[in-house]
Amino acid sequence: MMEPHSAPTPKKYSKKPKYSKFSQQELPAWKPILTPGWVISTFTVVGIVFIPVGLASLFSSESVEEAAIRYDDKCLNEIHAQNAVAFIKSDMTNKTCTTSWTVERKMQGPIFIYYQLDNYYQNHRRYVKSRNDKQLVNPASEGDTTNCYPQDKTNGSMPIVPCGLIAWSLFNDTYKFWVNTKSLTVNKKDISWGSDRSHKFGSKVYPKNFQLGGLVGGAKLDENIPLNQQEDLIVWMRTAALPSFRKLYGKIETNLEVNDSVEIVIENNYNTYEFGGNKRLILSTATWIGGKNPFLGMAYLFVGGVSLLCAIVFILLYVIKPRPLGDPSYLSWNKNPGILK
């Protein structure tokens, strides 16, 4: 008589990881004992280092001379202010306006010129993606307009170079400066990142069909100049993370003395009225730490002050109410030293 076959034993699956010193956290490690001396010394050193650095940063920031001039409202008369959008979109209106500014403190050259836009969301996902990096650097890819719609091709289906909403919305206000009837030269060389000029914008890629699509955007580009020399475009296409941002327009290499009267001629071309944005012209000097930014110095001072305060508190606790230190020999890694081998 044949015996019935026994059912196969089901294979057991386990989620238990294979043993290793890494998975069981048994690798050699430095496990310091935080004695009162170590804690107090650490907080004291942090405070002693951070406070002087914070004072130096704050002093450097305060020594920066900066002037901010809002002009989007000043460049509208009473009639045009009632319909600013129609004014800025019209090709028939005169958009040149003049304002003056008196230097309050001496500004040592180079003086950096920025334009500042408020309520402008360059970090919008669709806006940030609206570009083609291959097209910007490689002349063989000028027909590649992926991700650039609706600014990818002209009405005649010719590719736009550079394509996309970022390039299409290029800032096109211009500024001219006069001091005592003498024109100040604005240097626009090397205002963009050198890495962008070398690696992100090609020396053999030239603008083609730019601003010839169905919608008219911002500035136009010279088709005889390669993209790696179009520094206004390179600066603009490094998109900002916040809705209020500044971008470098140029540099004035001469000094401005106290009480100099600066006449500024502005071509108010860029449309920020349609979305409630503001435009400002910024003139600023720079120090070893950059432009005016008190936050960094205040942050160092805050961390240094809190560290010194913690050191003082721990000293008082140690003096007023000391606690005996435990025996380190009872620690697990000291009881079983073979674990660390």
Side-chain angles (χ1 to χ4, degrees), residues 20-58:
S20 68
K21 289 186 177 183
F22 177 78
S23 63
Q24 298 303 316
Q25 299 184 17
E26 294 178 357
L27 291 174
W30 179 49
K31 299 178 180 179
I33 301 173
L34 298 179
T35 62
W38 270 107
V39 173
I40 293 171
S41 299
T42 301
F43 278 122
T44 303
V45 169
V46 171
I48 291 174
V49 172
F50 274 48
I51 288 179
V53 173
L55 290 173
S57 301
L58 199 59

Side-chain angles (χ1 to χ4, degrees), residues 76-119:
L76 290 175
N77 58 35
E78 294 181 1
I79 298 175
H80 292 145
Q82 297 175 4
N83 195 346
V85 176
F87 162 78
I88 203 70
K89 287 185 174 182
S90 174
D91 293 331
M92 306 300 294
T93 54
N94 181 13
K95 299 180 178 63
T96 302
C97 68
T98 304
T99 185
S100 59
W101 165 67
T102 302
V103 181
E104 297 180 357
R105 295 180 182 177
K106 181 179 179 179
M107 301 183 76
Q108 193 79 21
I111 301 168
F112 296 90
I113 307 168
Y114 300 89
Y115 55 88
Q116 176 176 320
L117 299 179
D118 300 320
N119 198 34

Side-chain angles (χ1 to χ4, degrees), residues 85-294:
V85 176
F87 162 78
I88 203 70
K89 287 185 174 182
S90 174
D91 293 331
M92 306 300 294
T93 54
N94 181 13
K95 299 180 178 63
T96 302
C97 68
T98 304
T99 185
S100 59
W101 165 67
T102 302
V103 181
E104 297 180 357
R105 295 180 182 177
K106 181 179 179 179
M107 301 183 76
Q108 193 79 21
I111 301 168
F112 296 90
I113 307 168
Y114 300 89
Y115 55 88
Q116 176 176 320
L117 299 179
D118 300 320
N119 198 34
Y120 194 117
Y121 290 85
Q122 269 199 322
N123 60 350
H124 192 284
R125 184 182 177 214
R126 185 179 178 188
Y127 185 89
V128 171
K129 292 178 65 177
S130 187
R131 60 187 293 166
N132 190 297
D133 291 327
K134 291 182 180 178
Q135 186 200 60
L136 296 173
V137 72
N138 187 1
S141 301
E142 67 176 25
D144 187 356
T145 57
T146 308
N147 298 328
C148 290
Y149 181 83
Q151 292 301 317
D152 54 345
K153 296 181 181 180
T154 64
N155 294 334
S157 298
M158 297 297 292
I160 298 173
V161 182
C163 68
L165 292 173
I166 306 178
W168 171 80
S169 59
L170 176 61
F171 187 79
N172 61 343
D173 284 4
T174 61
Y175 313 108
K176 294 181 180 178
F177 301 88
W178 300 78
V179 176
N180 301 325
T181 68
K182 180 182 178 182
S183 176
L184 296 179
T185 302
V186 177
N187 181 10
K188 283 181 164 288
K189 187 174 177 58
D190 295 334
I191 62 173
S192 59
W193 288 26
S195 58
D196 287 353
R197 296 194 299 270
S198 302
H199 305 294
K200 293 187 177 182
F201 294 83
S203 60
K204 297 181 180 180
V205 182
Y206 293 83
K208 291 183 180 179
N209 306 312
F210 191 67
Q211 300 295 7
L212 296 180
L215 296 174
V216 178
K220 296 183 179 180
L221 298 176
D222 190 338
E223 295 190 354
N224 297 315
I225 300 177
L227 292 188
N228 73 329
Q229 296 180 25
Q230 307 263 9
E231 297 207 45
D232 286 327
L233 173 70
I234 297 173
V235 170
W236 178 256
M237 293 196 69
R238 182 168 282 276
T239 53
L242 300 175
S244 294
F245 59 86
R246 296 178 180 180
K247 290 185 182 290
L248 187 59
Y249 178 83
K251 295 176 287 186
I252 298 175
E253 304 290 352
T254 58
N255 300 337
L256 293 179
E257 303 295 336
V258 179
N259 295 326
D260 275 351
S261 180
V262 181
E263 183 179 345
I264 307 170
V265 180
I266 302 171
E267 287 291 337
N268 181 32
N269 299 314
Y270 202 70
N271 182 8
T272 58
Y273 304 104
E274 200 159 9
F275 55 87
N278 300 329
K279 295 187 288 187
R280 286 179 171 83
L281 171 65
I282 310 295
L283 297 172
S284 175
T285 59
T287 61
W288 62 273
I289 205 170
K292 185 178 285 294
N293 181 17

